[in-house]
Amino acid sequence: MKEKIRVRFAPSPTGYLHIGGVRTALYNYLYARKMGGEFLLRIEDTDRERSTQESLDQILEAMEWLGLEWDGELTYQSQRLDLYRTLAEELVSRGKAYYCDCTKEELDIRKKELESRGVFVGYDGRCRERGLKKGDASHMVIRLKVDNGEDLSYTDLIRGEINFDSKEIDDFILIRSDGFPTYNFAVVVDDHAMGITHVLRGDDHIINTPKQIAIYRALGYETPGFGHFSMILGSDKSRLSKRHGATSVSEYRHNGYLPSALLNYLAKLGWGHGDTELFTKEELIRAFSLEGVNKAPAVFSPEKLLWVNQEHIKMLSYDMIAPYLKPFLEKKGIDPASRSREWFSHALETLRGRVKTLEEMAEKLLYYFFPPEEWAEKDVAKAMKKSSPELVEDYAAALEKVDDFSLQHLEEHMRAYCEERDLNMGSLAQPLRLAVTGSTVSPGIHDVLALLGKNETLARVRAFLSRL
Ligand code: GLU
């Protein structure tokens, strides 16, 4: 039977979830879902100084908002310290690792001396054969005995052959003097314990991979597949950072981006699939493959992301947009429960193609809820001809008698009304638009009237006429 694929995303809660992290999580997620495997989430919180609860909360919130559901329980490395220590001690007893009591000061002095002779490659192996035992000194670390001459090359699932020689690696630390594991040791122990079959992560970890392979071998574990995604660069080709614009998920969320758009854009950033640019999450799952992931770094474009967001606003159903739109409505003082689902769905139809973000959408919905407070002089001059006030007034009187304020009926009604009087529709629609929206641009006038309803339409028209 073929082995079930298990991948993981392993963020360190030392900062917010940034764009690069999301893409790593997403590729793991897509691969798992595509292959019918599992996507696990592990919190790498062994750096006690830099890990914070705030970062952790932000990461989990972002994962949920993005809809990157993980399988099974969350794993926290900080809850597995005993396991790391036990395994490291086992390595010591099997002669694969050793205790070391060299102090930082001693190491610094020897490092300088070795550097002056041009032979420094890291720890000099002084405690390798000393046979120190647990408790021999108050401050001890455990180091891995790295066999000199061992080939630590591997075939990267994305980049192909990567060559490493153990001569480039010193006897590095597995357990620090405070009893906490180093990143490399904890990752290997956990990836094995969690049954991870493919380690897929950013290319900043390529350099850790030979060390991890050395640990896999010392522990007698089979190595998983390794694949490293290329970096995301800013427009000036340097590593993506704050300078290039927003890099945190929460910023995009608060600026009115849809999670599906962010996922779509990031998936395509570094993964090719013909000329298709727009994908829903389900379509991404169907189309994704590791073979399609590019080796070359990708350049982040905020403009392209904004375009993708606009396209998602155009293509998604109201029900898919509604939960994400809700906070933006509330921020603008609009109660999402004040109108029916059908009403909102119609209102959204009138704005598709006119807005790029949910923030803009909420902004443009405002005139359906709040009457204009003023009418700019230049708009009045533009939309109102001499005969306009009378035209609007007469039409309002006709509307008084209309009970069916549905879009279709309003369209028919206005057409017939204009035909009977030999009126150009625009000469009525433009002043009417200004009257009810306070603006000379808006969605179709019949949509606006239908959405406002009879009472509100007439109240606004009257308020407008009395101000003229
Ligand atoms: N915790 C590491 C990071 O945030 C990820 C380690 C890994 O994927 O192996 O960069």
Side-chain angles (χ1 to χ4, degrees):
M1 207 178 73
K2 245 184 116 199
E3 183 184 31
K4 185 170 190 166
I5 281 172
R6 280 164 80 94
V7 293
R8 70 348 181 240
F9 177 51
S12 307
T14 53
Y16 59 80
L17 185 58
H18 57 84
I19 292 299
V22 177
R23 197 188 56 168
T24 298
L26 174 64
Y27 284 171
N28 275 284
Y29 173 88
L30 294 176
Y31 189 56
R33 294 290 172 263
K34 163 90 185 215
M35 306 299 284
E38 283 180 19
F39 170 66
L40 309 180
L41 184 59
R42 180 174 73 225
I43 304 301
E44 307 217 314
D45 55 351
T46 55
D47 186 336
R48 288 183 300 165
E49 257 131 60
R50 294 176 55 231
S51 300
T52 66
Q53 184 63 39
E54 196 195 337
S55 299
L56 174 62
D57 293 344
Q58 270 188 19
I59 291 170
L60 296 180
E61 205 184 287
M63 292 291 286
E64 267 164 48
W65 178 75
L66 288 163
L68 297 176
E69 325 84 40
W70 58 91
D71 298 304
E73 295 283 304
L74 252 183
T75 308
Y76 292 90
Q77 287 191 323
S78 59
Q79 294 171 3
R80 300 159 67 80
L81 301 177
D82 286 346
L83 175 66
Y84 309 128
R85 283 177 209 149
T86 308
L87 287 168
E89 278 160 19
E90 249 174 65
L91 285 178
V92 174
S93 62
R94 287 179 30 230
K96 302 268 183 197
Y98 58 91
Y99 282 101
C100 161
D101 66 357
C102 297
T103 63
K104 187 171 175 315
E105 292 71 34
E106 289 167 352
L107 290 173
D108 281 348
I109 294 168
R110 276 154 38 208
K111 179 178 167 205
K112 279 210 187 86
E113 205 270 315
L114 288 172
E115 271 172 352
S116 69
R117 288 196 277 132
V119 292
F120 180 72
V121 283
Y123 182 65
D124 60 4
R126 183 167 173 274
C127 294
R128 225 179 203 239
E129 308 303 337
R130 286 177 65 209
L132 289 172
K133 299 211 169 35
K134 192 176 178 177
D136 278 354
S138 57
H139 272 73
M140 289 204 294
V141 301
I142 296 180
R143 291 182 182 274
L144 187 73
K145 249 184 217 174
V146 178
D147 276 343
N148 225 334
E150 194 181 347
D151 184 10
L152 298 172
S153 305
Y154 76 98
T155 307
D156 196 281
L157 295 165
I158 290 154
R159 295 155 180 271
E161 199 60 34
I162 306 265
N163 293 311
F164 277 111
D165 190 309
S166 62
K167 282 199 215 75
E168 297 158 47
I169 296 173
D170 66 350
D171 286 355
F172 60 92
I173 296 175
L174 303 178
I175 302 285
R176 296 181 215 282
S177 59
D178 62 1
F180 276 69
T182 53
Y183 155 70
N184 281 313
F185 190 55
V187 163
V188 171
V189 168
D190 287 336
D191 281 339
H192 175 78
M194 292 162 77
I196 299 304
T197 56
H198 296 69
V199 171
L200 306 172
R201 58 190 171 195
D203 66 1
D204 45 335
H205 290 292
I206 288 189
I207 124 154
N208 292 315
T209 306
K211 289 188 177 176
Q212 293 177 15
I213 292 173
I215 298 171
Y216 274 102
R217 290 194 189 149
L219 286 167
Y221 297 161
E222 196 186 324
T223 48
F226 290 102
H228 291 91
F229 306 123
S230 62
M231 254 193 282
I232 301 182
L233 306 177
S235 48
D236 58 358
K237 305 285 160 70
S238 68
R239 195 183 188 105
L240 185 68
S241 73
K242 277 257 158 231
R243 283 185 297 121
H244 303 106
T247 53
S248 83
V249 176
S250 65
E251 273 171 278
Y252 285 102
R253 177 179 184 173
H254 293 120
N255 291 339
Y257 285 71
L258 282 164
S260 64
L262 195 54
L263 294 181
N264 181 164
Y265 174 70
L266 289 177
K268 284 289 296 169
L269 189 65
W271 166 74
H273 192 70
D275 293 333
T276 318
E277 292 289 351
L278 299 172
F279 294 83
T280 61
K281 195 166 88 174
E282 286 62 40
E283 288 164 348
L284 285 175
I285 292 172
R286 257 177 271 134
F288 187 77
S289 73
L290 281 183
E291 292 76 43
V293 174
N294 302 330
K295 280 184 224 169
V299 177
F300 184 76
S301 159
E303 296 77 28
K304 178 92 181 273
L305 171 54
L306 186 60
W307 175 79
V308 173
N309 199 52
Q310 179 175 22
E311 293 302 311
H312 275 241
I313 288 177
K314 274 194 217 160
M315 78 186 188
L316 296 186
S317 70
Y318 166 71
D319 288 332
M320 292 182 79
I321 293 179
Y324 305 107
L325 179 63
K326 194 166 170 256
F328 292 93
L329 296 179
E330 286 165 348
K331 213 164 64 192
K332 298 254 184 262
I334 298 174
D335 175 6
S338 63
R339 302 283 194 284
S340 67
R341 181 181 164 277
E342 288 65 36
W343 187 93
F344 270 110
S345 173
H346 180 195
L348 187 135
E349 286 313 321
T350 68
L351 299 179
R352 286 189 201 270
R354 292 171 180 266
V355 297
K356 295 192 171 79
T357 67
L358 299 176
E359 168 87 47
E360 268 178 53
M361 180 177 274
E363 177 71 37
K364 289 235 153 82
L365 280 169
L366 278 176
Y367 53 61
Y368 293 132
F369 288 83
F370 305 105
E373 278 167 8
E374 55 194 28
W375 290 268
E377 248 169 61
K378 70 167 181 18
D379 290 339
V380 175
K382 188 168 150 200
M384 302 298 284
K385 305 276 165 304
K386 212 161 156 265
S387 60
S388 301
E390 203 184 319
L391 276 182
V392 173
E393 192 157 359
D394 288 350
Y395 187 63
L399 282 180
E400 291 266 14
K401 297 189 205 88
V402 175
D403 288 322
D404 181 357
F405 248 62
S406 67
L407 171 63
Q408 199 196 355
H409 187 255
L410 285 172
E411 271 168 0
E412 281 162 15
H413 179 266
M414 195 189 279
R415 191 177 326 111
Y417 182 93
C418 289
E419 262 168 31
E420 272 167 33
R421 286 159 186 77
D422 208 13
L423 277 176
N424 168 325
M425 210 120 78
S427 65
L428 177 58
Q430 244 341 59
L432 202 53
R433 165 175 291 122
L434 178 65
V436 296
T437 68
S439 162
T440 55
V441 272
S442 82
I445 187 66
H446 307 107
D447 287 291
V448 175
L449 299 192
L451 286 161
L452 289 176
K454 184 168 165 176
N455 292 344
E456 182 67 17
T457 297
L458 293 174
R460 288 188 187 190
V461 170
R462 281 190 206 110
F464 173 69
L465 291 174
S466 68
R467 286 274 198 106
L468 282 179

